[in-house]
Amino acid sequence: MTDDEPLPYSVLIRIADNILEAGEDDPDALAAGLERLDPVIREELLASDLLNAFQVFYYFFREDPGDLETDRLILQPASALLTGVVVTGREFYEVIFRIEKGSPVILVSDGDSVLAGFHEKDAYRQALRFIDEQL
């Protein structure tokens, strides 16, 4: 395997299994396990079907978005984050979580266009504040 080749899927599965075994019911333990990985391996996992969108959300933002939002994210594979996953909706707005070039982004959309994008550690809370200011 060279630097340009992706990790064999069977190896990625074993790595994911080890991390999930330790952190299945503990998002902090799962995030810590991801943190310890080589960045290239971590990036592959964060964009795979081996994790769900909530696990990736928690890894990047280290916060619980709420019960309904967590359930919504759990139902989506991490690979869906490449195009975006709706985390929540408020009034006429949607909060979308996506991964762009390996970095997390929280977008606020009105359904037709993106109104704002947030990239910081507290991006989710910033997006919610942005919506509150619009209402």
Side-chain angles (χ1 to χ4, degrees):
M1 183 177 96
T2 67
D3 288 341
D4 295 346
E5 293 178 27
L7 201 60
Y9 203 66
S10 60
V11 173
L12 204 57
I13 289 171
R14 278 197 306 272
I15 293 168
D17 283 346
N18 289 337
I19 290 172
L20 290 168
E21 186 176 310
E24 186 173 356
D25 295 324
D26 182 357
D28 288 314
L30 182 104
L34 288 168
E35 191 92 0
R36 288 189 292 270
L37 292 176
D38 175 274
V40 173
I41 295 171
R42 182 176 47 245
E43 191 169 321
E44 280 192 52
L45 262 181
L46 293 174
S48 75
D49 289 336
L50 299 172
L51 298 177
N52 64 50
F54 170 71
Q55 292 163 327
V56 178
F57 180 94
Y58 195 87
Y59 168 73
F60 282 118
F61 300 113
R62 306 293 163 104
E63 72 175 276
D64 181 342
D67 292 340
L68 180 61
E69 294 81 0
T70 296
D71 289 345
R72 185 177 283 155
L73 290 169
I74 285 172
L75 294 174
Q76 295 292 322
S79 61
L81 296 170
L82 297 174
T83 56
V85 172
V86 174
V87 179
T88 192
R90 287 193 178 178
E91 299 289 327
F92 311 105
Y93 302 102
E94 293 179 326
V95 177
I96 301 164
F97 173 42
R98 59 180 285 160
I99 302 294
E100 295 177 359
K101 298 178 186 172
S103 296
V105 179
I106 299 289
L107 303 171
V108 176
S109 170
D110 63 4
D112 293 323
S113 59
V114 173
L115 305 173
F118 303 93
H119 303 269
E120 297 78 24
K121 193 82 167 156
D122 64 341
Y124 183 65
R125 281 182 266 131
Q126 287 181 1
L128 296 178
R129 271 194 305 276
F130 174 84
I131 292 171
D132 289 342
E133 291 169 2
Q134 305 307 305
L135 297 176

